[in-house]
Amino acid sequence: LTYTEIELPGYGKSIINIYSPDGRLIQSSQHDENKIHLDEDQLAPGLYFLNVSYNNISETVRIIKIR
């Protein structure tokens, strides 16, 4: 099992979106906890953009899946 752990500064509803480099939405999920384990086993190797929206804040980071 391969996963990325995301820890938010508090509790509340968050939305996690994963996009391909060309902007296609690959995966979307909603969470109510502050520690999120994002399953990477469903992703093919490559570059993705991970967007986290929480408490009216949105942040995007690049992730690279190697295997």
Side-chain angles (χ1 to χ4, degrees):
L1 179 66
T2 306
Y3 67 89
T4 296
E5 183 176 273
I6 300 168
E7 188 168 352
L8 301 172
Y11 291 91
K13 182 170 277 227
S14 61
I15 299 171
I16 310 293
N17 292 318
I18 300 176
Y19 296 94
S20 66
D22 63 0
R24 285 182 298 121
L25 180 63
I26 303 295
Q27 191 177 67
S28 183
S29 57
Q30 293 185 9
H31 305 272
D32 290 320
E33 59 274 353
N34 73 326
K35 246 186 205 179
I36 301 163
H37 292 107
L38 183 66
D39 182 8
E40 292 182 27
D41 286 339
Q42 300 173 15
L43 299 175
L47 173 69
Y48 297 92
F49 293 94
L50 173 71
N51 176 265
V52 180
S53 297
Y54 172 79
N55 281 350
N56 296 321
I57 298 170
S58 182
E59 197 168 324
T60 302
V61 295
R62 285 184 296 170
I63 57 173
I64 299 172
K65 168 112 188 244
I66 297 176
R67 310 177 207 175

Short mmCIF file of all heavy atoms in Angstrom, two decimals:
data_model
loop_
_atom_site.label_atom_id
_atom_site.label_comp_id
_atom_site.label_asym_id
_atom_site.label_seq_id
_atom_site.Cartn_x
_atom_site.Cartn_y
_atom_site.Cartn_z
N LEU A 1 0.84 -1.18 0.00
CA LEU A 1 0.00 0.00 0.00
C LEU A 1 0.88 1.24 0.00
O LEU A 1 1.76 1.39 0.83
CB LEU A 1 -0.92 -0.02 1.21
CG LEU A 1 -1.86 1.17 1.38
CD1 LEU A 1 -2.88 1.19 0.25
CD2 LEU A 1 -2.56 1.09 2.71
N THR A 2 0.69 2.10 -0.95
CA THR A 2 1.44 3.35 -1.05
C THR A 2 0.48 4.51 -0.81
O THR A 2 -0.57 4.58 -1.45
CB THR A 2 2.06 3.50 -2.45
OG1 THR A 2 2.83 2.34 -2.73
CG2 THR A 2 2.95 4.72 -2.52
N TYR A 3 0.83 5.39 0.12
CA TYR A 3 -0.05 6.51 0.39
C TYR A 3 0.76 7.75 0.76
O TYR A 3 1.91 7.68 1.14
CB TYR A 3 -1.05 6.18 1.50
CG TYR A 3 -0.43 5.98 2.86
CD1 TYR A 3 -0.26 7.07 3.72
CD2 TYR A 3 -0.02 4.73 3.30
CE1 TYR A 3 0.31 6.91 4.97
CE2 TYR A 3 0.55 4.57 4.53
CZ TYR A 3 0.72 5.65 5.37
OH TYR A 3 1.29 5.48 6.60
N THR A 4 0.11 8.89 0.61
CA THR A 4 0.64 10.17 1.04
C THR A 4 -0.20 10.61 2.23
O THR A 4 -1.42 10.54 2.18
CB THR A 4 0.53 11.23 -0.08
OG1 THR A 4 1.35 10.82 -1.16
CG2 THR A 4 0.97 12.59 0.39
N GLU A 5 0.47 11.04 3.29
CA GLU A 5 -0.25 11.52 4.46
C GLU A 5 -0.31 13.04 4.42
O GLU A 5 0.70 13.70 4.22
CB GLU A 5 0.43 11.06 5.74
CG GLU A 5 -0.33 11.49 6.98
CD GLU A 5 0.30 10.97 8.25
OE1 GLU A 5 -0.04 9.82 8.63
OE2 GLU A 5 1.12 11.68 8.84
N ILE A 6 -1.50 13.57 4.60
CA ILE A 6 -1.72 15.02 4.63
C ILE A 6 -2.25 15.35 6.01
O ILE A 6 -3.23 14.76 6.46
CB ILE A 6 -2.73 15.45 3.56
CG1 ILE A 6 -2.23 15.06 2.17
CG2 ILE A 6 -3.00 16.94 3.65
CD1 ILE A 6 -3.27 15.19 1.09
N GLU A 7 -1.59 16.29 6.69
CA GLU A 7 -2.06 16.70 8.01
C GLU A 7 -2.44 18.17 7.96
O GLU A 7 -1.64 19.03 7.61
CB GLU A 7 -0.98 16.48 9.06
CG GLU A 7 -1.48 16.70 10.44
CD GLU A 7 -0.53 16.20 11.52
OE1 GLU A 7 0.47 15.54 11.18
OE2 GLU A 7 -0.79 16.48 12.69
N LEU A 8 -3.69 18.44 8.30
CA LEU A 8 -4.22 19.80 8.29
C LEU A 8 -4.15 20.38 9.71
O LEU A 8 -4.15 19.64 10.68
CB LEU A 8 -5.65 19.80 7.78
CG LEU A 8 -5.83 19.24 6.36
CD1 LEU A 8 -7.29 19.09 6.02
CD2 LEU A 8 -5.13 20.12 5.36
N PRO A 9 -4.11 21.71 9.83
CA PRO A 9 -3.91 22.32 11.15
C PRO A 9 -5.10 22.20 12.11
O PRO A 9 -4.97 22.51 13.27
CB PRO A 9 -3.65 23.79 10.82
CG PRO A 9 -4.22 24.01 9.48
CD PRO A 9 -4.13 22.69 8.77
N GLY A 10 -6.25 21.76 11.66
CA GLY A 10 -7.41 21.61 12.54
C GLY A 10 -8.43 20.71 11.90
O GLY A 10 -8.22 20.16 10.83
N TYR A 11 -9.55 20.55 12.57
CA TYR A 11 -10.62 19.71 12.04
C TYR A 11 -11.59 20.55 11.22
O TYR A 11 -11.74 21.73 11.43
CB TYR A 11 -11.37 19.03 13.19
CG TYR A 11 -10.54 17.99 13.87
CD1 TYR A 11 -9.77 18.32 14.97
CD2 TYR A 11 -10.52 16.69 13.40
CE1 TYR A 11 -8.99 17.36 15.60
CE2 TYR A 11 -9.73 15.72 14.03
CZ TYR A 11 -8.98 16.07 15.13
OH TYR A 11 -8.20 15.13 15.74
N GLY A 12 -12.23 19.91 10.28
CA GLY A 12 -13.20 20.58 9.42
C GLY A 12 -13.26 19.87 8.09
O GLY A 12 -12.46 18.98 7.81
N LYS A 13 -14.18 20.27 7.26
CA LYS A 13 -14.33 19.65 5.94
C LYS A 13 -13.20 20.09 5.03
O LYS A 13 -12.88 21.27 4.94
CB LYS A 13 -15.67 20.03 5.34
CG LYS A 13 -15.91 19.37 3.98
CD LYS A 13 -17.31 19.56 3.53
CE LYS A 13 -18.10 18.53 4.20
NZ LYS A 13 -19.02 17.71 3.62
N SER A 14 -12.60 19.13 4.36
CA SER A 14 -11.56 19.42 3.37
C SER A 14 -11.88 18.66 2.09
O SER A 14 -12.55 17.63 2.11
CB SER A 14 -10.17 19.03 3.88
OG SER A 14 -10.13 17.65 4.14
N ILE A 15 -11.41 19.19 0.98
CA ILE A 15 -11.59 18.55 -0.32
C ILE A 15 -10.21 18.34 -0.92
O ILE A 15 -9.40 19.28 -0.99
CB ILE A 15 -12.46 19.41 -1.25
CG1 ILE A 15 -13.84 19.62 -0.63
CG2 ILE A 15 -12.57 18.77 -2.63
CD1 ILE A 15 -14.70 20.62 -1.35
N ILE A 16 -9.95 17.13 -1.36
CA ILE A 16 -8.68 16.77 -1.98
C ILE A 16 -8.96 16.42 -3.44
O ILE A 16 -9.78 15.56 -3.73
CB ILE A 16 -8.05 15.53 -1.30
CG1 ILE A 16 -7.99 15.69 0.21
CG2 ILE A 16 -6.69 15.21 -1.90
CD1 ILE A 16 -7.08 16.75 0.72
N ASN A 17 -8.28 17.10 -4.35
CA ASN A 17 -8.40 16.82 -5.78
C ASN A 17 -7.03 16.51 -6.34
O ASN A 17 -6.05 17.19 -6.00
CB ASN A 17 -8.98 18.02 -6.54
CG ASN A 17 -10.43 18.26 -6.20
OD1 ASN A 17 -11.21 17.33 -6.09
ND2 ASN A 17 -10.79 19.51 -6.03
N ILE A 18 -6.96 15.52 -7.21
CA ILE A 18 -5.72 15.19 -7.91
C ILE A 18 -5.96 15.41 -9.39
O ILE A 18 -6.93 14.89 -9.95
CB ILE A 18 -5.29 13.73 -7.65
CG1 ILE A 18 -5.06 13.53 -6.14
CG2 ILE A 18 -4.03 13.40 -8.44
CD1 ILE A 18 -4.74 12.10 -5.78
N TYR A 19 -5.05 16.17 -10.00
CA TYR A 19 -5.16 16.51 -11.42
C TYR A 19 -3.97 15.98 -12.20
O TYR A 19 -2.85 15.92 -11.67
CB TYR A 19 -5.21 18.02 -11.61
CG TYR A 19 -6.42 18.67 -11.00
CD1 TYR A 19 -6.38 19.21 -9.72
CD2 TYR A 19 -7.61 18.76 -11.71
CE1 TYR A 19 -7.49 19.81 -9.15
CE2 TYR A 19 -8.73 19.36 -11.15
CZ TYR A 19 -8.66 19.87 -9.87
OH TYR A 19 -9.76 20.46 -9.31
N SER A 20 -4.20 15.63 -13.45
CA SER A 20 -3.11 15.28 -14.37
C SER A 20 -2.44 16.57 -14.83
O SER A 20 -3.00 17.66 -14.65
CB SER A 20 -3.66 14.51 -15.57
OG SER A 20 -4.49 15.36 -16.33
N PRO A 21 -1.25 16.49 -15.45
CA PRO A 21 -0.58 17.71 -15.92
C PRO A 21 -1.40 18.52 -16.93
O PRO A 21 -1.23 19.73 -17.02
CB PRO A 21 0.70 17.18 -16.57
CG PRO A 21 0.95 15.89 -15.89
CD PRO A 21 -0.41 15.32 -15.60
N ASP A 22 -2.32 17.86 -17.65
CA ASP A 22 -3.15 18.61 -18.61
C ASP A 22 -4.45 19.13 -17.99
O ASP A 22 -5.31 19.64 -18.69
CB ASP A 22 -3.42 17.77 -19.86
CG ASP A 22 -4.23 16.52 -19.58
OD1 ASP A 22 -4.60 16.27 -18.40
OD2 ASP A 22 -4.50 15.77 -20.53
N GLY A 23 -4.58 19.02 -16.66
CA GLY A 23 -5.71 19.61 -15.96
C GLY A 23 -6.93 18.72 -15.77
O GLY A 23 -7.93 19.15 -15.23
N ARG A 24 -6.84 17.46 -16.18
CA ARG A 24 -7.97 16.55 -15.99
C ARG A 24 -8.06 16.12 -14.52
O ARG A 24 -7.04 15.79 -13.90
CB ARG A 24 -7.83 15.29 -16.85
CG ARG A 24 -8.11 15.53 -18.32
CD ARG A 24 -8.01 14.26 -19.14
NE ARG A 24 -6.64 13.72 -19.08
CZ ARG A 24 -6.33 12.51 -18.62
NH1 ARG A 24 -7.27 11.68 -18.20
NH2 ARG A 24 -5.08 12.10 -18.59
N LEU A 25 -9.26 16.11 -13.97
CA LEU A 25 -9.48 15.64 -12.61
C LEU A 25 -9.36 14.12 -12.59
O LEU A 25 -10.10 13.42 -13.28
CB LEU A 25 -10.86 16.08 -12.10
CG LEU A 25 -11.22 15.65 -10.69
CD1 LEU A 25 -10.27 16.27 -9.67
CD2 LEU A 25 -12.66 16.03 -10.39
N ILE A 26 -8.43 13.61 -11.81
CA ILE A 26 -8.18 12.17 -11.73
C ILE A 26 -8.93 11.56 -10.54
O ILE A 26 -9.49 10.48 -10.63
CB ILE A 26 -6.67 11.88 -11.58
CG1 ILE A 26 -5.88 12.48 -12.73
CG2 ILE A 26 -6.40 10.39 -11.42
CD1 ILE A 26 -6.19 11.90 -14.08
N GLN A 27 -8.91 12.26 -9.43
CA GLN A 27 -9.50 11.73 -8.19
C GLN A 27 -9.97 12.89 -7.32
O GLN A 27 -9.30 13.92 -7.26
CB GLN A 27 -8.44 10.90 -7.47
CG GLN A 27 -8.91 10.07 -6.33
CD GLN A 27 -7.76 9.26 -5.76
OE1 GLN A 27 -6.82 9.81 -5.20
NE2 GLN A 27 -7.82 7.95 -5.93
N SER A 28 -11.09 12.72 -6.65
CA SER A 28 -11.61 13.75 -5.76
C SER A 28 -12.17 13.07 -4.52
O SER A 28 -12.80 12.01 -4.62
CB SER A 28 -12.69 14.57 -6.46
OG SER A 28 -13.14 15.60 -5.61
N SER A 29 -11.94 13.66 -3.34
CA SER A 29 -12.48 13.09 -2.11
C SER A 29 -12.71 14.20 -1.09
O SER A 29 -12.05 15.22 -1.12
CB SER A 29 -11.55 12.01 -1.55
OG SER A 29 -10.26 12.53 -1.33
N GLN A 30 -13.67 13.95 -0.20
CA GLN A 30 -13.96 14.88 0.88
C GLN A 30 -13.67 14.19 2.20
O GLN A 30 -13.90 12.99 2.34
CB GLN A 30 -15.44 15.30 0.84
CG GLN A 30 -15.77 16.13 -0.36
CD GLN A 30 -17.22 16.64 -0.31
OE1 GLN A 30 -17.90 16.51 0.69
NE2 GLN A 30 -17.65 17.19 -1.42
N HIS A 31 -13.18 14.99 3.17
CA HIS A 31 -12.77 14.43 4.45
C HIS A 31 -13.21 15.36 5.57
O HIS A 31 -13.31 16.57 5.39
CB HIS A 31 -11.25 14.25 4.49
CG HIS A 31 -10.73 13.42 3.37
ND1 HIS A 31 -10.62 12.06 3.45
CD2 HIS A 31 -10.32 13.76 2.13
CE1 HIS A 31 -10.15 11.59 2.29
NE2 HIS A 31 -9.96 12.61 1.48
N ASP A 32 -13.41 14.78 6.76
CA ASP A 32 -13.78 15.56 7.94
C ASP A 32 -12.71 15.49 9.03
O ASP A 32 -12.86 16.10 10.08
CB ASP A 32 -15.10 15.06 8.52
CG ASP A 32 -16.27 15.39 7.62
OD1 ASP A 32 -16.28 16.50 7.05
OD2 ASP A 32 -17.15 14.53 7.45
N GLU A 33 -11.65 14.74 8.83
CA GLU A 33 -10.60 14.61 9.83
C GLU A 33 -9.38 15.46 9.44
O GLU A 33 -9.28 15.92 8.30
CB GLU A 33 -10.19 13.15 10.04
CG GLU A 33 -9.69 12.46 8.80
CD GLU A 33 -10.80 11.86 7.94
OE1 GLU A 33 -11.97 11.85 8.32
OE2 GLU A 33 -10.46 11.41 6.84
N ASN A 34 -8.45 15.65 10.37
CA ASN A 34 -7.30 16.50 10.05
C ASN A 34 -6.11 15.70 9.52
O ASN A 34 -5.17 16.28 9.00
CB ASN A 34 -6.88 17.35 11.26
CG ASN A 34 -6.20 16.56 12.34
OD1 ASN A 34 -6.53 15.40 12.56
ND2 ASN A 34 -5.27 17.17 13.02
N LYS A 35 -6.12 14.37 9.65
CA LYS A 35 -5.06 13.53 9.06
C LYS A 35 -5.69 12.68 7.97
O LYS A 35 -6.61 11.91 8.22
CB LYS A 35 -4.46 12.63 10.13
CG LYS A 35 -3.04 12.94 10.43
CD LYS A 35 -2.45 11.94 11.37
CE LYS A 35 -1.32 12.65 12.07
NZ LYS A 35 -0.65 11.83 13.03
N ILE A 36 -5.17 12.83 6.78
CA ILE A 36 -5.74 12.15 5.62
C ILE A 36 -4.67 11.27 5.00
O ILE A 36 -3.54 11.71 4.77
CB ILE A 36 -6.24 13.19 4.59
CG1 ILE A 36 -7.29 14.10 5.24
CG2 ILE A 36 -6.77 12.51 3.35
CD1 ILE A 36 -7.53 15.38 4.48
N HIS A 37 -5.03 10.02 4.73
CA HIS A 37 -4.14 9.11 4.01
C HIS A 37 -4.67 8.97 2.60
O HIS A 37 -5.76 8.43 2.39
CB HIS A 37 -4.07 7.75 4.71
CG HIS A 37 -3.38 7.81 6.02
ND1 HIS A 37 -4.05 7.72 7.20
CD2 HIS A 37 -2.07 7.98 6.33
CE1 HIS A 37 -3.19 7.82 8.19
NE2 HIS A 37 -1.99 7.99 7.69
N LEU A 38 -3.91 9.47 1.66
CA LEU A 38 -4.31 9.46 0.26
C LEU A 38 -3.71 8.25 -0.44
O LEU A 38 -2.49 8.11 -0.53
CB LEU A 38 -3.82 10.75 -0.40
CG LEU A 38 -4.21 10.97 -1.84
CD1 LEU A 38 -5.72 11.13 -1.95
CD2 LEU A 38 -3.52 12.19 -2.38
N ASP A 39 -4.55 7.34 -0.90
CA ASP A 39 -4.12 6.10 -1.54
C ASP A 39 -3.55 6.39 -2.92
O ASP A 39 -4.25 6.90 -3.79
CB ASP A 39 -5.30 5.15 -1.63
CG ASP A 39 -4.96 3.81 -2.24
OD1 ASP A 39 -3.77 3.53 -2.48
OD2 ASP A 39 -5.89 3.02 -2.47
N GLU A 40 -2.28 6.07 -3.13
CA GLU A 40 -1.63 6.30 -4.42
C GLU A 40 -1.62 5.06 -5.31
O GLU A 40 -1.18 5.13 -6.45
CB GLU A 40 -0.18 6.74 -4.20
CG GLU A 40 -0.05 8.11 -3.58
CD GLU A 40 1.40 8.51 -3.43
OE1 GLU A 40 2.25 8.03 -4.21
OE2 GLU A 40 1.69 9.30 -2.52
N ASP A 41 -2.08 3.93 -4.81
CA ASP A 41 -2.05 2.70 -5.60
C ASP A 41 -2.90 2.78 -6.85
O ASP A 41 -2.67 2.06 -7.81
CB ASP A 41 -2.49 1.50 -4.74
CG ASP A 41 -1.43 1.09 -3.74
OD1 ASP A 41 -0.24 1.43 -3.95
OD2 ASP A 41 -1.79 0.44 -2.74
N GLN A 42 -3.89 3.66 -6.86
CA GLN A 42 -4.77 3.79 -8.03
C GLN A 42 -4.17 4.69 -9.11
O GLN A 42 -4.73 4.80 -10.19
CB GLN A 42 -6.12 4.36 -7.59
CG GLN A 42 -6.82 3.50 -6.58
CD GLN A 42 -8.06 4.17 -6.04
OE1 GLN A 42 -8.55 5.13 -6.59
NE2 GLN A 42 -8.58 3.65 -4.95
N LEU A 43 -3.04 5.32 -8.81
CA LEU A 43 -2.41 6.24 -9.77
C LEU A 43 -1.31 5.54 -10.55
O LEU A 43 -0.50 4.81 -9.98
CB LEU A 43 -1.81 7.45 -9.04
CG LEU A 43 -2.76 8.33 -8.25
CD1 LEU A 43 -1.98 9.39 -7.50
CD2 LEU A 43 -3.80 8.95 -9.16
N ALA A 44 -1.26 5.78 -11.84
CA ALA A 44 -0.16 5.29 -12.68
C ALA A 44 1.08 6.15 -12.40
O ALA A 44 0.94 7.30 -11.97
CB ALA A 44 -0.54 5.38 -14.15
N PRO A 45 2.27 5.64 -12.62
CA PRO A 45 3.46 6.47 -12.44
C PRO A 45 3.39 7.74 -13.29
O PRO A 45 2.90 7.70 -14.43
CB PRO A 45 4.60 5.56 -12.91
CG PRO A 45 4.08 4.17 -12.69
CD PRO A 45 2.61 4.27 -13.00
N GLY A 46 3.83 8.85 -12.73
CA GLY A 46 3.81 10.11 -13.47
C GLY A 46 3.69 11.30 -12.55
O GLY A 46 3.75 11.19 -11.33
N LEU A 47 3.48 12.45 -13.14
CA LEU A 47 3.37 13.72 -12.45
C LEU A 47 1.90 14.06 -12.23
O LEU A 47 1.07 13.88 -13.13
CB LEU A 47 4.03 14.83 -13.28
CG LEU A 47 3.85 16.26 -12.78
CD1 LEU A 47 4.62 16.47 -11.48
CD2 LEU A 47 4.32 17.24 -13.84
N TYR A 48 1.57 14.54 -11.03
CA TYR A 48 0.21 14.94 -10.70
C TYR A 48 0.25 16.23 -9.90
O TYR A 48 1.27 16.60 -9.34
CB TYR A 48 -0.49 13.86 -9.85
CG TYR A 48 -0.64 12.56 -10.58
CD1 TYR A 48 0.32 11.57 -10.47
CD2 TYR A 48 -1.74 12.31 -11.38
CE1 TYR A 48 0.20 10.37 -11.14
CE2 TYR A 48 -1.88 11.11 -12.06
CZ TYR A 48 -0.91 10.15 -11.93
OH TYR A 48 -1.03 8.97 -12.60
N PHE A 49 -0.89 16.89 -9.83
CA PHE A 49 -1.04 18.08 -8.99
C PHE A 49 -2.09 17.77 -7.94
O PHE A 49 -3.21 17.36 -8.26
CB PHE A 49 -1.44 19.29 -9.83
CG PHE A 49 -0.35 19.71 -10.76
CD1 PHE A 49 -0.32 19.25 -12.07
CD2 PHE A 49 0.67 20.53 -10.32
CE1 PHE A 49 0.70 19.62 -12.92
CE2 PHE A 49 1.70 20.90 -11.17
CZ PHE A 49 1.72 20.45 -12.47
N LEU A 50 -1.71 17.93 -6.69
CA LEU A 50 -2.58 17.66 -5.56
C LEU A 50 -3.08 18.98 -5.01
O LEU A 50 -2.28 19.84 -4.62
CB LEU A 50 -1.78 16.91 -4.49
CG LEU A 50 -2.47 16.67 -3.16
CD1 LEU A 50 -3.57 15.64 -3.32
CD2 LEU A 50 -1.47 16.22 -2.12
N ASN A 51 -4.39 19.17 -5.02
CA ASN A 51 -5.00 20.40 -4.52
C ASN A 51 -5.78 20.09 -3.25
O ASN A 51 -6.61 19.18 -3.24
CB ASN A 51 -5.93 21.01 -5.57
CG ASN A 51 -6.64 22.23 -5.04
OD1 ASN A 51 -7.76 22.13 -4.56
ND2 ASN A 51 -5.99 23.38 -5.12
N VAL A 52 -5.49 20.84 -2.18
CA VAL A 52 -6.18 20.69 -0.91
C VAL A 52 -6.93 21.98 -0.62
O VAL A 52 -6.32 23.05 -0.61
CB VAL A 52 -5.19 20.39 0.24
CG1 VAL A 52 -5.93 20.24 1.56
CG2 VAL A 52 -4.38 19.14 -0.07
N SER A 53 -8.23 21.89 -0.41
CA SER A 53 -9.05 23.05 -0.04
C SER A 53 -9.57 22.83 1.37
O SER A 53 -10.17 21.79 1.67
CB SER A 53 -10.23 23.22 -0.99
OG SER A 53 -9.77 23.47 -2.29
N TYR A 54 -9.31 23.82 2.24
CA TYR A 54 -9.66 23.67 3.65
C TYR A 54 -9.86 25.06 4.25
O TYR A 54 -8.99 25.93 4.10
CB TYR A 54 -8.52 22.93 4.36
CG TYR A 54 -8.64 22.89 5.85
CD1 TYR A 54 -9.49 21.99 6.46
CD2 TYR A 54 -7.89 23.72 6.65
CE1 TYR A 54 -9.61 21.93 7.83
CE2 TYR A 54 -7.99 23.67 8.02
CZ TYR A 54 -8.84 22.77 8.60
OH TYR A 54 -8.96 22.71 9.96
N ASN A 55 -10.99 25.30 4.90
CA ASN A 55 -11.27 26.59 5.55
C ASN A 55 -11.01 27.79 4.63
O ASN A 55 -10.30 28.73 5.00
CB ASN A 55 -10.45 26.74 6.83
CG ASN A 55 -11.05 25.99 7.98
OD1 ASN A 55 -12.17 25.49 7.89
ND2 ASN A 55 -10.33 25.88 9.07
N ASN A 56 -11.56 27.75 3.43
CA ASN A 56 -11.40 28.84 2.44
C ASN A 56 -9.96 29.07 2.00
O ASN A 56 -9.62 30.14 1.50
CB ASN A 56 -12.00 30.15 2.96
CG ASN A 56 -13.49 30.04 3.16
OD1 ASN A 56 -14.18 29.41 2.37
ND2 ASN A 56 -14.00 30.62 4.22
N ILE A 57 -9.10 28.08 2.21
CA ILE A 57 -7.71 28.14 1.74
C ILE A 57 -7.53 27.00 0.74
O ILE A 57 -8.01 25.89 0.95
CB ILE A 57 -6.71 27.96 2.90
CG1 ILE A 57 -6.88 29.10 3.91
CG2 ILE A 57 -5.28 27.89 2.39
CD1 ILE A 57 -6.13 28.89 5.20
N SER A 58 -6.85 27.28 -0.36
CA SER A 58 -6.59 26.26 -1.37
C SER A 58 -5.09 26.26 -1.67
O SER A 58 -4.51 27.31 -1.90
CB SER A 58 -7.39 26.57 -2.64
OG SER A 58 -7.17 25.57 -3.60
N GLU A 59 -4.51 25.08 -1.63
CA GLU A 59 -3.07 24.96 -1.89
C GLU A 59 -2.84 23.79 -2.85
O GLU A 59 -3.46 22.74 -2.70
CB GLU A 59 -2.33 24.72 -0.58
CG GLU A 59 -0.86 24.98 -0.69
CD GLU A 59 -0.19 25.02 0.67
OE1 GLU A 59 -0.80 25.50 1.64
OE2 GLU A 59 0.95 24.55 0.75
N THR A 60 -1.96 24.00 -3.81
CA THR A 60 -1.65 22.96 -4.80
C THR A 60 -0.17 22.65 -4.77
O THR A 60 0.66 23.56 -4.73
CB THR A 60 -2.05 23.43 -6.21
OG1 THR A 60 -3.45 23.73 -6.23
CG2 THR A 60 -1.78 22.34 -7.24
N VAL A 61 0.17 21.36 -4.75
CA VAL A 61 1.56 20.92 -4.81
C VAL A 61 1.69 19.85 -5.88
O VAL A 61 0.73 19.18 -6.24
CB VAL A 61 2.03 20.36 -3.44
CG1 VAL A 61 2.04 21.44 -2.37
CG2 VAL A 61 1.19 19.18 -3.00
N ARG A 62 2.90 19.70 -6.38
CA ARG A 62 3.20 18.64 -7.36
C ARG A 62 3.57 17.38 -6.61
O ARG A 62 4.27 17.42 -5.61
CB ARG A 62 4.37 19.03 -8.24
CG ARG A 62 4.03 20.05 -9.27
CD ARG A 62 5.20 20.32 -10.16
NE ARG A 62 6.25 20.91 -9.34
CZ ARG A 62 7.48 21.12 -9.72
NH1 ARG A 62 7.86 20.80 -10.92
NH2 ARG A 62 8.36 21.65 -8.92
N ILE A 63 3.09 16.26 -7.11
CA ILE A 63 3.52 14.96 -6.60
C ILE A 63 3.96 14.12 -7.79
O ILE A 63 3.42 14.24 -8.89
CB ILE A 63 2.43 14.22 -5.77
CG1 ILE A 63 1.16 14.01 -6.60
CG2 ILE A 63 2.13 14.97 -4.50
CD1 ILE A 63 0.14 13.13 -5.88
N ILE A 64 4.96 13.30 -7.56
CA ILE A 64 5.47 12.41 -8.60
C ILE A 64 5.34 10.98 -8.08
O ILE A 64 5.89 10.64 -7.04
CB ILE A 64 6.93 12.71 -8.96
CG1 ILE A 64 7.03 14.14 -9.50
CG2 ILE A 64 7.46 11.70 -9.96
CD1 ILE A 64 8.45 14.61 -9.71
N LYS A 65 4.60 10.17 -8.79
CA LYS A 65 4.48 8.76 -8.46
C LYS A 65 5.51 8.02 -9.29
O LYS A 65 5.50 8.09 -10.52
CB LYS A 65 3.07 8.26 -8.78
CG LYS A 65 2.95 6.76 -8.74
CD LYS A 65 2.11 6.28 -7.60
CE LYS A 65 2.18 4.79 -7.48
NZ LYS A 65 0.97 4.10 -7.70
N ILE A 66 6.41 7.32 -8.63
CA ILE A 66 7.50 6.64 -9.32
C ILE A 66 7.13 5.21 -9.69
O ILE A 66 7.43 4.75 -10.77
CB ILE A 66 8.78 6.69 -8.48
CG1 ILE A 66 9.20 8.15 -8.31
CG2 ILE A 66 9.89 5.86 -9.11
CD1 ILE A 66 10.37 8.37 -7.45
N ARG A 67 6.48 4.47 -8.80
CA ARG A 67 6.11 3.09 -9.10
C ARG A 67 4.65 2.87 -8.91
O ARG A 67 4.00 3.32 -8.10
CB ARG A 67 6.83 2.10 -8.20
CG ARG A 67 8.26 2.30 -8.12
CD ARG A 67 8.83 1.31 -7.16
NE ARG A 67 10.03 1.96 -6.65
CZ ARG A 67 10.78 1.52 -5.73
NH1 ARG A 67 10.47 0.42 -5.14
NH2 ARG A 67 11.83 2.12 -5.34
#
